[in-house]
PDB file of all heavy atoms in Angstrom:
ATOM      1  N   PHE T 100     -16.895 -14.292   2.154  1.00 98.00           N
ATOM      2  CA  PHE T 100     -17.129 -15.681   2.551  1.00 98.00           C
ATOM      3  C   PHE T 100     -16.579 -15.907   3.947  1.00 98.00           C
ATOM      4  O   PHE T 100     -15.794 -15.098   4.465  1.00 98.00           O
ATOM      5  CB  PHE T 100     -16.485 -16.657   1.556  1.00 98.00           C
ATOM      6  CG  PHE T 100     -14.986 -16.651   1.565  1.00 98.00           C
ATOM      7  CD1 PHE T 100     -14.275 -17.499   2.401  1.00 98.00           C
ATOM      8  CD2 PHE T 100     -14.283 -15.785   0.730  1.00 98.00           C
ATOM      9  CE1 PHE T 100     -12.884 -17.495   2.415  1.00 98.00           C
ATOM     10  CE2 PHE T 100     -12.896 -15.765   0.734  1.00 98.00           C
ATOM     11  CZ  PHE T 100     -12.191 -16.626   1.578  1.00 98.00           C
ATOM     12  N   TYR T 101     -17.028 -16.988   4.531  1.00 97.00           N
ATOM     13  CA  TYR T 101     -16.530 -17.376   5.855  1.00 97.00           C
ATOM     14  C   TYR T 101     -16.402 -18.880   5.860  1.00 97.00           C
ATOM     15  O   TYR T 101     -17.332 -19.589   5.461  1.00 97.00           O
ATOM     16  CB  TYR T 101     -17.504 -16.930   6.946  1.00 97.00           C
ATOM     17  CG  TYR T 101     -17.062 -17.363   8.319  1.00 97.00           C
ATOM     18  CD1 TYR T 101     -16.142 -16.610   9.037  1.00 97.00           C
ATOM     19  CD2 TYR T 101     -17.532 -18.552   8.877  1.00 97.00           C
ATOM     20  CE1 TYR T 101     -15.703 -17.012  10.286  1.00 97.00           C
ATOM     21  CE2 TYR T 101     -17.103 -18.964  10.132  1.00 97.00           C
ATOM     22  CZ  TYR T 101     -16.191 -18.192  10.834  1.00 97.00           C
ATOM     23  OH  TYR T 101     -15.757 -18.589  12.065  1.00 97.00           O
ATOM     24  N   ASP T 102     -15.270 -19.394   6.285  1.00 97.00           N
ATOM     25  CA  ASP T 102     -15.078 -20.837   6.312  1.00 97.00           C
ATOM     26  C   ASP T 102     -14.483 -21.234   7.652  1.00 97.00           C
ATOM     27  O   ASP T 102     -13.334 -20.910   7.960  1.00 97.00           O
ATOM     28  CB  ASP T 102     -14.152 -21.274   5.179  1.00 97.00           C
ATOM     29  CG  ASP T 102     -14.075 -22.788   5.087  1.00 97.00           C
ATOM     30  OD1 ASP T 102     -15.053 -23.411   4.627  1.00 97.00           O
ATOM     31  OD2 ASP T 102     -13.045 -23.353   5.498  1.00 97.00           O
ATOM     32  N   GLU T 103     -15.259 -21.963   8.412  1.00 97.00           N
ATOM     33  CA  GLU T 103     -14.831 -22.300   9.766  1.00 97.00           C
ATOM     34  C   GLU T 103     -13.615 -23.219   9.763  1.00 97.00           C
ATOM     35  O   GLU T 103     -12.771 -23.154  10.667  1.00 97.00           O
ATOM     36  CB  GLU T 103     -15.987 -22.932  10.541  1.00 97.00           C
ATOM     37  CG  GLU T 103     -15.673 -23.282  11.991  1.00 97.00           C
ATOM     38  CD  GLU T 103     -15.065 -22.115  12.795  1.00 97.00           C
ATOM     39  OE1 GLU T 103     -15.433 -20.945  12.535  1.00 97.00           O
ATOM     40  OE2 GLU T 103     -14.203 -22.383  13.654  1.00 97.00           O
ATOM     41  N   ILE T 104     -13.507 -24.046   8.737  1.00 98.00           N
ATOM     42  CA  ILE T 104     -12.347 -24.949   8.681  1.00 98.00           C
ATOM     43  C   ILE T 104     -11.062 -24.136   8.552  1.00 98.00           C
ATOM     44  O   ILE T 104     -10.076 -24.378   9.254  1.00 98.00           O
ATOM     45  CB  ILE T 104     -12.482 -25.931   7.498  1.00 98.00           C
ATOM     46  CG1 ILE T 104     -13.717 -26.834   7.727  1.00 98.00           C
ATOM     47  CG2 ILE T 104     -11.221 -26.783   7.368  1.00 98.00           C
ATOM     48  CD1 ILE T 104     -14.013 -27.771   6.578  1.00 98.00           C
ATOM     49  N   ILE T 105     -11.095 -23.144   7.665  1.00 98.00           N
ATOM     50  CA  ILE T 105      -9.915 -22.298   7.506  1.00 98.00           C
ATOM     51  C   ILE T 105      -9.616 -21.551   8.801  1.00 98.00           C
ATOM     52  O   ILE T 105      -8.470 -21.503   9.269  1.00 98.00           O
ATOM     53  CB  ILE T 105     -10.099 -21.297   6.341  1.00 98.00           C
ATOM     54  CG1 ILE T 105     -10.099 -22.048   5.013  1.00 98.00           C
ATOM     55  CG2 ILE T 105      -9.013 -20.226   6.370  1.00 98.00           C
ATOM     56  CD1 ILE T 105     -10.321 -21.168   3.796  1.00 98.00           C
ATOM     57  N   GLU T 106     -10.664 -20.982   9.390  1.00 98.00           N
ATOM     58  CA  GLU T 106     -10.457 -20.223  10.630  1.00 98.00           C
ATOM     59  C   GLU T 106      -9.807 -21.103  11.689  1.00 98.00           C
ATOM     60  O   GLU T 106      -8.864 -20.682  12.370  1.00 98.00           O
ATOM     61  CB  GLU T 106     -11.795 -19.678  11.141  1.00 98.00           C
ATOM     62  CG  GLU T 106     -12.522 -18.754  10.170  1.00 98.00           C
ATOM     63  CD  GLU T 106     -11.821 -17.434   9.914  1.00 98.00           C
ATOM     64  OE1 GLU T 106     -11.136 -16.944  10.823  1.00 98.00           O
ATOM     65  OE2 GLU T 106     -11.943 -16.913   8.788  1.00 98.00           O
ATOM     66  N   GLU T 107     -10.302 -22.322  11.796  1.00 97.00           N
ATOM     67  CA  GLU T 107      -9.777 -23.241  12.805  1.00 97.00           C
ATOM     68  C   GLU T 107      -8.321 -23.614  12.509  1.00 97.00           C
ATOM     69  O   GLU T 107      -7.489 -23.636  13.410  1.00 97.00           O
ATOM     70  CB  GLU T 107     -10.662 -24.500  12.840  1.00 97.00           C
ATOM     71  CG  GLU T 107     -10.177 -25.598  13.756  1.00 97.00           C
ATOM     72  CD  GLU T 107     -10.194 -25.213  15.240  1.00 97.00           C
ATOM     73  OE1 GLU T 107     -10.716 -24.124  15.567  1.00 97.00           O
ATOM     74  OE2 GLU T 107      -9.671 -25.997  16.054  1.00 97.00           O
ATOM     75  N   ARG T 108      -8.031 -23.889  11.266  1.00 98.00           N
ATOM     76  CA  ARG T 108      -6.647 -24.222  10.900  1.00 98.00           C
ATOM     77  C   ARG T 108      -5.702 -23.069  11.237  1.00 98.00           C
ATOM     78  O   ARG T 108      -4.586 -23.278  11.701  1.00 98.00           O
ATOM     79  CB  ARG T 108      -6.534 -24.544   9.402  1.00 98.00           C
ATOM     80  CG  ARG T 108      -7.074 -25.897   8.987  1.00 98.00           C
ATOM     81  CD  ARG T 108      -6.412 -27.052   9.684  1.00 98.00           C
ATOM     82  NE  ARG T 108      -4.994 -27.175   9.407  1.00 98.00           N
ATOM     83  CZ  ARG T 108      -4.154 -27.901  10.144  1.00 98.00           C
ATOM     84  NH1 ARG T 108      -4.591 -28.569  11.212  1.00 98.00           N
ATOM     85  NH2 ARG T 108      -2.879 -27.969   9.813  1.00 98.00           N
ATOM     86  N   GLN T 109      -6.150 -21.853  10.987  1.00 98.00           N
ATOM     87  CA  GLN T 109      -5.313 -20.698  11.301  1.00 98.00           C
ATOM     88  C   GLN T 109      -4.977 -20.682  12.784  1.00 98.00           C
ATOM     89  O   GLN T 109      -3.827 -20.457  13.177  1.00 98.00           O
ATOM     90  CB  GLN T 109      -6.027 -19.407  10.916  1.00 98.00           C
ATOM     91  CG  GLN T 109      -6.121 -19.212   9.426  1.00 98.00           C
ATOM     92  CD  GLN T 109      -6.962 -18.009   9.015  1.00 98.00           C
ATOM     93  OE1 GLN T 109      -7.076 -17.718   7.843  1.00 98.00           O
ATOM     94  NE2 GLN T 109      -7.580 -17.344   9.969  1.00 98.00           N
ATOM     95  N   ARG T 110      -5.992 -20.930  13.603  1.00 98.00           N
ATOM     96  CA  ARG T 110      -5.763 -20.942  15.057  1.00 98.00           C
ATOM     97  C   ARG T 110      -4.753 -22.005  15.424  1.00 98.00           C
ATOM     98  O   ARG T 110      -3.830 -21.782  16.221  1.00 98.00           O
ATOM     99  CB  ARG T 110      -7.086 -21.218  15.785  1.00 98.00           C
ATOM    100  CG  ARG T 110      -7.955 -19.984  15.949  1.00 98.00           C
ATOM    101  CD  ARG T 110      -9.278 -20.343  16.651  1.00 98.00           C
ATOM    102  NE  ARG T 110     -10.423 -19.916  15.860  1.00 98.00           N
ATOM    103  CZ  ARG T 110     -11.385 -20.691  15.400  1.00 98.00           C
ATOM    104  NH1 ARG T 110     -11.382 -22.015  15.654  1.00 98.00           N
ATOM    105  NH2 ARG T 110     -12.366 -20.180  14.678  1.00 98.00           N
ATOM    106  N   ILE T 111      -4.912 -23.180  14.827  1.00 98.00           N
ATOM    107  CA  ILE T 111      -4.013 -24.292  15.148  1.00 98.00           C
ATOM    108  C   ILE T 111      -2.582 -23.965  14.717  1.00 98.00           C
ATOM    109  O   ILE T 111      -1.622 -24.161  15.463  1.00 98.00           O
ATOM    110  CB  ILE T 111      -4.505 -25.579  14.456  1.00 98.00           C
ATOM    111  CG1 ILE T 111      -5.822 -26.025  15.104  1.00 98.00           C
ATOM    112  CG2 ILE T 111      -3.448 -26.673  14.516  1.00 98.00           C
ATOM    113  CD1 ILE T 111      -6.521 -27.144  14.364  1.00 98.00           C
ATOM    114  N   ILE T 112      -2.441 -23.460  13.504  1.00 98.00           N
ATOM    115  CA  ILE T 112      -1.108 -23.148  12.988  1.00 98.00           C
ATOM    116  C   ILE T 112      -0.439 -22.092  13.863  1.00 98.00           C
ATOM    117  O   ILE T 112       0.736 -22.197  14.215  1.00 98.00           O
ATOM    118  CB  ILE T 112      -1.203 -22.657  11.528  1.00 98.00           C
ATOM    119  CG1 ILE T 112      -1.640 -23.813  10.637  1.00 98.00           C
ATOM    120  CG2 ILE T 112       0.117 -22.084  11.058  1.00 98.00           C
ATOM    121  CD1 ILE T 112      -2.173 -23.364   9.291  1.00 98.00           C
ATOM    122  N   ALA T 113      -1.202 -21.069  14.213  1.00 98.00           N
ATOM    123  CA  ALA T 113      -0.649 -20.022  15.071  1.00 98.00           C
ATOM    124  C   ALA T 113      -0.140 -20.655  16.365  1.00 98.00           C
ATOM    125  O   ALA T 113       1.010 -20.429  16.766  1.00 98.00           O
ATOM    126  CB  ALA T 113      -1.713 -18.969  15.367  1.00 98.00           C
TER     127      ALA T 113
END
Side-chain angles (χ1 to χ4, degrees):
Chain T
F100 69 90
Y101 177 84
D102 187 74
E103 182 51 34
I104 296 176
I105 291 178
E106 301 293 329
E107 175 65 7
R108 285 301 297 163
Q109 289 174 177
R110 278 178 235 121
I111 291 170
I112 292 162

